[in-house]
Amino acid sequence: MAKQLLSPFIFLVIFLLRCVTTSAQSPAQSPASSVTTNITGILDRAGQFTTLMRLLKTTQEADQINTQISNSNQGMTIFAPTDNAFNNLKAGTLNSLSDQQKVELVQFHVLPNLYSTTQFQTASNPLRTQAGDSTLFPMNVSSSGNQVNISTGVDNNVPVANTIYTDSHLAVYQVDQVLLPLSIFGSPAPAPAPAPSKDAPTAAPKGSSDSSVEASGAASLNLCALAILYCGVAAFMAITL
Ligand SMILES: *[C@@H]1O[C@H](CO)[C@@H](O)[C@H](O)[C@H]1NC(C)=O
Ligand SMILES: *[C@@H]1O[C@H](CO)[C@@H](O)[C@H](O)[C@H]1NC(C)=O
Ligand SMILES: *[C@@H]1O[C@H](CO)[C@@H](O)[C@H](O)[C@H]1NC(C)=O
C-alpha cells in the first residue's frame, strides 16, 4: 500500500467514525424547539391559571394551539382568565357545560391573529375568535390610550389586564373575568340544561415538529453514505497501487 495514500485514508476513517456518532446523537441533541410553543408551560410559569390550564388540557385545545402557532404565520392571541375569574362565575357554571360548549368557551378566548396592545386600537369589530361565527360568538374591542376592553354581549367592557407573554407569534393577556360567549350564556334562563355531550374533537395532528429532526438526521446519514463510498474508493486505490 502506498504510504502517501495511508494518511488520507486514516483521516477518512476518523471522519467516518465521527460522522456515525454525531448522526446517532443528533435526534436527541437538536431540541426541535426553534418555533415550538408550550402554552401550558407559559401559563404554568405565570401562575394563577390552573383552571384554564385544566380546560386547555381536557378540551385538547392546548395541543391545537401549540400546533397552530407553529403552522400559522398569522400568530395568535390568547385571553387568559385567572383562577379568580373562574371562581367568580356562578357556582356550577363550568359543570353545566357540555364538552362541546367547553371547547367553544376555550376557543372563544383564542384569536387566530397576533394582536399587540396597539394593534387592538385599529382592529375592526367584531374580532374573529377560534370559536368561529361572530354572530353566535361576537367579540368587540374598544380602547382608549393603553386601556383595551373586550365586550361579548354578555360581559361588556372587560379590561385586558396584563401582558403575560409576548413574542413574534403569540401574545397572552390576562383577563380578570371569563369572557362569556353570547351563544352559550346569552340566554337569560339560569343554568341551561347541559346538552348531550359530544365527543371532544380529535387531537391536533402530531409530529410536525419532529420532521425537522428527521430531516437533519437524514442529511447526516447521506453524508455518512458519501463518506463510506469515498473510503471504499480510497481503499480500492490503496490496494491496487
Ligand atoms: C409544557 O409545559 C407543561 C407545564 O410546565 C409541562 O408539564 C409539559 O410537559 C410541557 N410540554 C412539552 C411538550 O414540553
Ligand atoms: C373600559 O371599561 C371600564 C370599566 O370596565 C370603563 O371604565 C372604561 O371607560 C372602558 N374603556 C373603554 C375604552 O371602553
Ligand atoms: C360590536 O360592534 C358592532 C359594530 O360596531 C355592533 O353592531 C355590535 O352590536 C357590537 N357587539 C357587541 C357584543 O358589543
Side-chain angles (χ1 to χ4, degrees), residues 111-135:
L111 314 182
N113 291 290
L114 177 66
Y115 288 101
S116 67
T117 316
T118 49
Q119 281 166 332
F120 276 128
Q121 290 160 10
T122 53
S124 53
N125 287 327
L127 298 183
R128 200 157 67 89
T129 75
Q130 291 274 100
D133 192 337
S134 56
T135 315

Side-chain angles (χ1 to χ4, degrees), residues 142-144 147 149 156-159:
S142 60
S143 65
S144 90
Q147 181 56 55
N149 286 352
N156 295 315
N157 282 327
V158 177

